[in-house]
Amino acid sequence: MLCISDNNICMDRERFTGLKSEIPNAELMVVPMEQEARAVFYREHLENIKNYSAVFAVSDYYAMDLIQFLKSVGISVPEDISVVGFDNVRGSEKFVPALTTIKQDNRQRAALAVNLLNQLRNGDCGDKNVKLDFVMGYAFNLCYLP
């Protein structure tokens, strides 16, 4: 399995690490943030991408962007390659083909983030990673840099 992200730090690194814990041979491909540069990058790495049967994108935005690129070069999703996103963003349910995505509890995530910020403000540096468990065994790690 291939994982695509625009970086290998903090949240994206945690998502990739989680993927590798279940699929040890998963590989990370760091893609450009800018959409046009990413399309060029995908064209340059198309043969490598085609070697995978599935791609995990660290965000729905990158998953939908990749699917559009793959369709533009004649690769069918999910028949030729499966693509999974993360975040269950608005619009993902209307995307064609339907996007497989991982949903997280944003209210719980926000409440924990505010709690961590208050702890930091009070000088309590405690844990730097807080794990939120989700339905179907998926997890999200809230990561902040000191």
Side-chain angles (χ1 to χ4, degrees):
M1 177 173 268
L2 178 65
C3 177
I4 60 169
S5 172
D6 61 26
N7 67 75
N8 189 20
I9 59 172
C10 208
M11 213 171 24
D12 290 355
R13 174 183 230 137
E14 293 294 331
R15 290 176 182 183
F16 177 60
T17 300
L19 175 66
K20 281 202 66 87
S21 73
E22 297 299 318
I23 304 173
N25 65 344
E27 295 181 18
L28 177 66
M29 179 180 281
V30 178
V31 300
M33 283 180 148
E34 199 273 323
Q35 189 174 21
E36 288 180 30
R38 202 167 44 255
V40 170
F41 180 90
Y42 287 150
R43 267 189 213 88
E44 292 171 353
H45 294 87
L46 182 58
E47 291 307 311
N48 185 29
I49 293 168
K50 287 169 36 177
N51 289 326
Y52 296 91
S53 61
V55 176
F56 169 69
V58 297
S59 73
D60 288 344
Y61 175 76
Y62 283 147
M64 292 185 286
D65 184 64
L66 177 64
I67 290 169
Q68 287 177 327
F69 168 78
L70 292 171
K71 286 169 44 176
S72 77
V73 294
I75 297 173
S76 181
V77 176
E79 291 80 11
D80 298 327
I81 189 168
S82 299
V83 178
V84 177
F86 198 106
D87 289 329
N88 194 33
V89 298
R90 255 188 227 154
S92 63
E93 73 279 355
K94 295 176 184 172
F95 192 76
V96 177
L99 180 63
T100 301
T101 184
I102 299 168
K103 182 178 182 177
Q104 53 187 324
D105 186 336
N106 288 325
R107 287 184 181 178
Q108 182 184 18
R109 180 178 163 195
L112 282 171
V114 169
N115 186 39
L116 285 172
L117 288 172
N118 285 329
Q119 288 176 12
L120 282 172
R121 188 171 47 184
N122 295 327
D124 178 7
C125 293
D127 288 333
K128 293 192 174 158
N129 289 301
V130 176
K131 191 175 203 176
L132 304 179
D133 293 319
F134 293 92
V135 178
M136 300 181 359
Y138 295 105
F140 165 77
N141 285 311
L142 177 63
C143 173
Y144 63 91
L145 301 174

